[in-house]
Amino acid sequence: MASSRRAALTAALGRVGIWSFALQTLAAAEERSAIAEYDRLGVRATWIPESLGSKDVLAHAAILLAANPRMTIATGIANIYARDPMAMANGAHALADAYPGRFVLGIGVSHAPSVATRGTTYGSPIATMTAYLDAMAAAAYAGPAPTQPAPILLAALGPRMLELAAERADGAHPYFVPVQHSVMARDRLGPNAFLAVEQTAVIDTDRARARDVAHAFARRYLSLPNYANNLLRLGYSDEDVAGDGSDRLVDAVIVQGSVEDVATRVRAHLDAGADHVCVQLRSSDPHDVAVAAYRELFASLSELHSPR
């Protein structure tokens, strides 16, 4: 049963997808155009975030699901402190009913600074997520049960959250991780859980310019204990995770260079045990949906990315 869910998720999302912050910076009409362009590339899955000040991720998912009849939309990640378990479960049920097989619910415990900004106290990640999953499972829902319930993935970095993802969800969605994390994650998840890895990339053969973009992106994440601690567990030093990160660390987490360099990193995650890699292309323009760059990337990954 579990292995069949893993296979079904791989079929629905494909081996390679898109992860985009840029979409949430656009007006709805512009987003609809961008999703249409992604669909023309044959992309099966687009991942969207939820951060402080962002569009509500469930409402955002509904906009994108309605915009295209074939695209799977996955949340990466819906913050469990942004809505109570019943609201999360019932929002997912409604989207799964309206768009069968096309919505994936990724949920996570967020970060203590973000939760404090919301006026809430950050609890123990494992205990909080376990209780939240229990409450989601017990939540009453007045609507009809969807024929295909939305798969649930956990934002999982450390061993215990990965194990919880295997036990209580359909799998895990790690973010801001090097390839060595995918090896560890597959080991902790076992053979039946789905592993969807986010990979940030900067396509630019000007090494200095690409590194500037990568370090600027890394700074925010390295200031958050969950990400920094995960990298320390993987063997990086306090010096590596300080400030905007060492070159060694940033190169391991954010691939920079040519389209083929990015394609090689995607293949490395898949070889390490990932089922799906969602690529987040970054540039100096936060509104860039990077259609042309994704077109080149998917052409380079043609053996993994077969247009419909």
Side-chain angles (χ1 to χ4, degrees), residues 105-130:
L105 179 66
I107 63 174
V109 297
S110 188
H111 306 275
S114 300
V115 171
T117 301
R118 291 180 181 275
T120 305
T121 302
Y122 191 73
S124 164
I126 298 298
T128 301
M129 179 59 81
T130 300

Side-chain angles (χ1 to χ4, degrees), residues 11-284:
L13 275 66
R15 298 286 271 163
V16 189
I18 288 173
W19 204 107
S20 177
F21 261 116
L23 286 170
Q24 72 174 11
T25 72
L26 304 179
E30 295 172 308
E31 287 195 271
R32 294 184 189 107
S33 296
I35 283 292
E37 291 294 334
Y38 290 166
D39 180 65
R40 290 186 191 101
L41 300 179
V43 175
R44 289 192 172 97
T46 298
W47 295 72
I48 54 173
E50 179 164 60
S51 54
L52 287 171
S54 72
K55 296 179 180 181
D56 175 271
V57 76
L58 297 185
H60 193 190
I63 291 168
L64 297 177
L65 287 162
N68 186 277
R70 300 192 295 188
M71 185 70 68
T72 296
I73 300 298
T75 60
I77 284 290
N79 184 348
I80 67 171
Y81 288 93
R83 55 192 64 79
D84 65 52
M86 183 177 288
M88 186 79 83
N90 293 354
H93 292 330
L95 291 174
D97 175 47
Y99 305 101
R102 292 179 48 221
F103 176 65
V104 175
L105 179 66
I107 63 174
V109 297
S110 188
H111 306 275
S114 300
V115 171
T117 301
R118 291 180 181 275
T120 305
T121 302
Y122 191 73
S124 164
I126 298 298
T128 301
M129 179 59 81
T130 300
Y132 195 93
L133 291 169
D134 289 341
M136 282 184 68
Y141 181 57
T147 55
Q148 299 180 57
I152 298 175
L153 303 178
L154 302 189
L157 295 174
R160 292 177 64 203
M161 191 65 78
L162 286 162
E163 289 165 2
L164 186 65
E167 294 165 5
R168 297 293 307 274
D170 293 280
H173 174 49
Y175 183 96
F176 198 72
V177 292
V179 171
Q180 69 201 90
H181 185 273
S182 292
V183 176
M184 184 273 289
R186 174 49 64 200
D187 179 64
R188 292 290 179 161
L189 288 169
N192 296 324
F194 185 77
L195 177 58
V197 178
E198 180 272 346
Q199 175 61 63
T200 307
V202 181
I203 296 178
D204 190 337
T205 54
D206 183 314
R207 186 68 168 165
R209 186 168 58 204
R211 270 220 171 120
D212 284 347
V213 172
H215 279 285
F217 181 81
R219 176 176 286 276
R220 173 171 176 250
Y221 293 103
L222 293 174
S223 71
L224 297 170
N226 292 1
Y227 291 118
N229 290 338
N230 179 56
L231 293 164
L232 292 170
R233 274 195 302 269
L234 293 173
Y236 293 94
S237 68
D238 289 334
E239 291 74 21
D240 284 323
V241 303
D244 59 7
S246 68
D247 285 347
R248 178 175 87 101
L249 182 146
V250 168
D251 290 352
V253 175
I254 304 171
V255 58
Q256 307 137 58
S258 68
V259 167
E260 188 51 46
D261 290 329
V262 179
T264 297
R265 183 69 62 86
V266 169
R267 294 186 188 101
H269 277 292
L270 295 171
D271 289 345
D275 297 294
H276 172 87
V277 179
C278 37
V279 181
Q280 179 179 184
L281 294 183
R282 302 294 303 185
S283 70
S284 57

